[in-house]
Amino acid sequence: MKSAKAKAHTNIALIKYWGKKDPKLFLPMNSSLSLTLDAFYTETEVILDGNLEMDQFILNDEIQGEAETTKISNFLNLFRQETGILTPAKVTSQNFVPTAAGLASSASAFAALGAAMNEVSGMKADPTTLSTFVRRGSGSATRSVFGGFVEWQMGTCNEDSHAIQIDDASWDIAMVTVAVNTGKKTISSRQGMQLTVDTSPFYASWVETAATDLVDIKQAIRNQDFQQLGEITESNGMKMHGTMLGARPPFTYMEPTTIDVLAAVRQLRQQGFEAYYTMDAGPNVKVLCHLSDSEKIQMKLKEAFPNNPVIISKVGGGIELLS
Ligand code: 2P0
């Protein structure tokens, strides 16, 4: 028996990935850029065991059923095709995400699983190549291979649609999450992005402007220009959410409290804080701010939203092998 265990953090996109040009290979319509978060992560152990008849998947101490296990097997098969090592695997995974945050993430899950399998199968791909494998588990996982600011370059084919680190973000940066609703959403991001691609008349301008947003945000990162970074983040996130209102049928992930939190962040700015919001495919709000301001911002948001968990995260690092 051989085993390896790895850890990966989740990430929040500042320039969003929203739509696939090749759903089978997970090739995106546009390049994206994220910040890796320290507070939310997954640890996964893979044991290759010739005595097993088939793959087993245990998540947060619960044995998973056929549907979930098949997803994992399909992903492990990508590594098996590459290495020729077909031994069944026992996969044990733990999500370290405050349940209240509603941030359980396929990004950290597939990045951790990919990193463990990369090791135990002897494939030992470099991180950029590994990111092309984890991409096929979940698009956003591509970026969780690295820490700090990470670009997922959309590329043109399976081999060149990969992640690179842009900057380790070791300046004064944090992300504060306001959990608005942590229940299961009715439209998954996978379904939501496809519906948007297929039906929203706003989609073409999303793709066009995401490209210029990416150029501009990389310039802001090079200059450590926090205001530019925040303004582009806020604009790009809201544009993504705008495309959904144009879909048929229209949909939105926003809830009434979401709108109130966005207003509260704008108010924080009027009080002199550099704080900017973004949202993923859900109603929770993430606030990009300075780490040195994050406790004050957390306090103010808790005061305004006493029923909603407010969680600070520092910048996270890339995948780590634990054993
Ligand atoms: C992102 N999201 O860039 C965007 C912004 C949600 C909104 O990536 O189908 O779970 O597995 O590739 O990665 C969420 O979508 O979708 C996501 P699949 P995924 O973070």
Side-chain angles (χ1 to χ4, degrees):
M1 285 202 297
K2 285 171 88 176
S3 72
K5 188 172 181 183
K7 171 177 176 178
H9 297 98
T10 192
N11 70 80
I12 300 297
L14 310 184
I15 304 298
K16 306 292 187 186
Y17 146 56
W18 194 245
K20 298 178 180 74
K21 65 176 170 231
D22 183 334
K24 198 161 168 277
L25 286 177
F26 291 74
L27 298 180
M29 287 282 203
N30 64 281
S31 298
S32 54
L33 186 142
S34 60
L35 184 65
T36 304
L37 299 190
D38 181 64
F40 312 108
Y41 59 96
T42 303
E43 289 184 359
T44 297
E45 183 182 47
V46 178
I47 302 175
L48 299 184
D49 181 351
N51 294 319
L52 292 175
E53 285 186 4
M54 57 205 301
D55 295 332
Q56 274 182 12
F57 177 36
I58 298 156
L59 175 61
N60 298 337
D61 302 319
E62 283 184 31
I63 298 175
Q64 301 295 298
E66 199 183 322
E68 290 305 314
T69 308
T70 302
K71 268 191 221 162
I72 297 299
S73 294
N74 289 342
F75 179 70
L76 296 182
N77 287 344
L78 300 172
F79 293 79
R80 292 172 172 143
Q81 280 157 18
E82 194 69 18
T83 60
I85 294 171
L86 305 178
T87 319
K90 180 180 176 190
V91 174
T92 308
S93 201
Q94 199 80 31
N95 278 326
F96 292 84
V97 177
T99 14
L103 277 178
S105 163
S106 57
S108 56
F110 282 103
L113 177 59
M117 189 61 177
N118 186 42
E119 181 68 16
V120 74
S121 68
M123 193 170 88
K124 302 213 174 184
D126 63 83
T128 297
T129 307
L130 177 60
S131 74
T132 68
F133 281 80
V134 304
R135 188 192 76 233
R136 294 169 73 182
S138 188
S140 50
T142 314
R143 300 183 307 242
S144 272
V145 170
F146 295 101
F149 290 114
V150 182
E151 180 183 357
W152 172 11
Q153 301 182 326
M154 63 176 167
T156 56
C157 62
N158 181 44
E159 286 71 28
D160 69 358
S161 184
H162 60 216
I164 57 165
Q165 189 190 53
I166 295 293
D167 183 289
D168 64 7
S170 60
W171 17 313
D172 186 15
I173 294 177
M175 189 79 91
V176 175
T177 298
V178 183
V180 168
N181 183 344
T182 58
K184 199 169 158 51
K185 53 198 181 198
T186 49
I187 304 177
S188 71
S189 26
R190 200 166 290 185
Q191 292 166 326
M193 66 174 81
Q194 195 57 47
L195 181 64
T196 308
V197 172
D198 291 343
T199 65
S200 179
F202 307 151
Y203 193 72
S205 48
W206 157 258
V207 173
E208 208 179 295
T209 62
T212 49
D213 287 348
L214 181 69
V215 172
D216 294 346
I217 208 167
K218 287 201 285 188
Q219 184 69 41
I221 291 169
R222 268 195 297 277
N223 297 341
Q224 299 199 356
D225 183 338
F226 196 87
Q227 185 179 345
Q228 270 290 101
L229 180 76
E231 286 179 4
I232 298 166
T233 295
E234 208 168 270
S235 157
N236 185 270
M238 290 302 107
K239 274 192 290 191
M240 178 190 76
H241 284 274
T243 63
M244 302 170 203
L245 295 176
R248 284 184 73 164
F251 67 102
T252 183
Y253 291 106
M254 295 201 190
E255 295 185 9
T257 307
T258 306
I259 307 281
D260 292 340
V261 177
L262 304 186
V265 175
R266 288 192 295 267
Q267 225 173 39
L268 284 170
R269 276 211 294 276
Q270 280 170 0
Q271 294 166 15
F273 291 101
E274 288 201 286
Y276 300 88
Y277 50 74
T278 188
M279 296 166 55
D280 289 320
N284 307 316
V285 181
K286 288 96 183 184
V287 184
L288 181 68
C289 62
H290 291 296
L291 181 60
S292 52
D293 287 338
S294 60
E295 286 181 5
K296 273 190 217 145
I297 287 175
Q298 181 190 42
M299 206 178 67
K300 284 177 178 282
L301 290 170
K302 271 188 166 167
E303 256 167 43
F305 303 95
N307 300 322
N308 297 85
V310 181
I311 299 148
I312 298 175
S313 179
K314 295 180 188 169
V315 175
I319 47 173
E320 286 167 45
L321 274 176
L322 301 176
S323 63

